[in-house]
Amino acid sequence: MMRIDDMKIIEHQSIAANTFRLVLEGDLVNEISSPGQFVHVQTGSEAHLLRRPISISEFNQETKQCTLIYRAGGEGTKLLSKKQAGDKLNVLGPLGNGYSLPEQASSCLIVGGGIGVPPLYELSKQLTGAGHHVTHVLGFQNKEAVFLKGEFSELGLTFIATDDGTEGQKGYVTDVIEQLNTAFDIVYACGPTPMLRALQSRITNIPLFISLEERMGCGIGACFACVVKQTGNEQNYYKICCDGPVFAAKEVVI
């Protein structure tokens, strides 16, 4: 159930170039039902009325805490990065539909790009906890932008790709995937649209689930600001904020 909560900031720190880890505490966490959901955060400035959508990287309902990882790129998120432990943050959520876990034991490939990596961490934790085998391929611009490498490595084999080759393999996540001599049963991905489009064109023989990144207005499906065309009928659209953000790749035209 969606709710609005004034959540307490427990931790807030920089973990990579312009990237921050924010730990929040509040009753809203009890409503989170699946990895891949997100929240809409109020930055606290009258000059920035629209909330900022941020994916949930990790949550623990026993402690009522959740972790958000975001990039401070625009004025709103830069303002958010100035918040300190002990401050309150007005949060709307949880929003959207997340990832579903396989019913049978599976070999899973998780593919993340940039700020699309965070929601995949909770997904990987739940997959490994349920007995699935997980491999991660994560892409970043450069070494300074890499985060959660150690955390993912504790859950399964982890490969890093960077645009300039300063960390891991130089190139794209698709370059790494092509070199893996492994058969997978299912693929989960989140990242920039060009990355998702490349995966969609290459992975056609096994299920591929993708989480779409998009600018949002209301976050609850009322404003139609975030839409994606439906496969088979491009006159119809899904609303990413409430129909997604996670879709079977075969369902959408990206």
Side-chain angles (χ1 to χ4, degrees):
M1 183 178 67
M2 178 180 63
R3 60 183 295 161
I4 295 177
D5 196 357
D6 285 322
M7 303 187 75
K8 181 180 179 180
I9 297 177
I10 304 301
E11 298 178 27
H12 198 188
Q13 63 186 89
S14 174
I15 59 171
N18 300 319
T19 304
F20 295 82
R21 177 178 181 268
L22 176 64
V23 179
L24 300 175
E25 182 180 275
D27 291 335
L28 182 149
V29 176
N30 293 330
E31 309 299 334
I32 303 172
S33 60
S34 62
Q37 289 185 292
F38 67 99
V39 292
H40 235 192
V41 177
Q42 196 172 71
T43 63
S45 167
E46 294 182 358
H48 302 91
L49 296 178
L50 291 180
R51 295 173 180 268
R52 276 18 182 207
I54 303 177
S55 58
I56 300 166
S57 178
E58 188 177 9
F59 64 92
N60 185 326
Q61 292 175 333
E62 291 185 0
T63 62
K64 294 186 179 181
Q65 292 184 2
C66 66
T67 300
L68 314 181
I69 294 177
Y70 67 95
R71 178 180 297 132
E75 291 302 317
T77 47
K78 287 180 181 178
L79 184 63
L80 177 61
S81 71
K82 306 299 182 184
K83 300 285 185 179
Q84 299 180 355
D87 291 345
K88 291 294 185 70
L89 205 58
N90 189 266
V91 180
L92 170 68
L95 301 174
N97 296 297
Y99 297 99
S100 297
L101 274 59
E103 294 182 358
Q104 298 180 338
S106 302
S107 177
C108 307
L109 175 63
I110 287 181
V111 185
I115 207 62
V117 168
L120 299 173
Y121 181 56
E122 178 66 35
L123 172 63
S124 183
K125 284 178 58 181
Q126 293 198 18
L127 285 169
T128 55
H132 303 289
H133 181 271
V134 180
T135 300
H136 316 98
V137 178
L138 311 176
F140 301 92
Q141 287 188 332
N142 50 47
K143 182 177 182 178
E144 288 70 30
V146 175
F147 57 88
L148 293 185
K149 177 183 176 182
E151 288 85 345
F152 276 101
S153 296
E154 291 179 355
L155 299 173
L157 196 59
T158 300
F159 299 90
I160 302 294
T162 52
D163 295 348
D164 60 2
T166 51
E167 178 85 9
Q169 178 174 322
K170 182 177 181 179
Y172 302 116
V173 292
T174 48
D175 299 325
V176 176
I177 293 170
E178 289 174 358
Q179 297 175 13
L180 295 179
N181 188 25
T182 307
F184 297 101
D185 301 310
I186 189 169
V187 181
Y188 299 97
C190 183
T193 298
M195 185 198 87
L196 298 179
R197 190 178 293 124
L199 293 172
Q200 189 183 47
S201 67
R202 288 169 169 80
I203 300 172
T204 58
N205 60 335
I206 59 175
L208 167 63
F209 293 92
I210 58 177
S211 180
L212 302 181
E213 298 178 340
E214 187 56 76
R215 291 184 178 274
M216 298 179 182
C218 68
I220 57 175
C223 69
F224 286 84
C226 59
V227 296
V228 61
K229 293 180 179 180
Q230 297 183 12
T231 301
N233 189 345
E234 296 186 18
Q235 301 303 313
N236 290 341
Y237 294 83
Y238 290 115
K239 291 176 281 189
I240 293 174
C241 63
C242 59
D243 295 321
V246 175
F247 298 92
K250 63 182 180 180
E251 295 178 342
V252 293
V253 179
I254 56 175

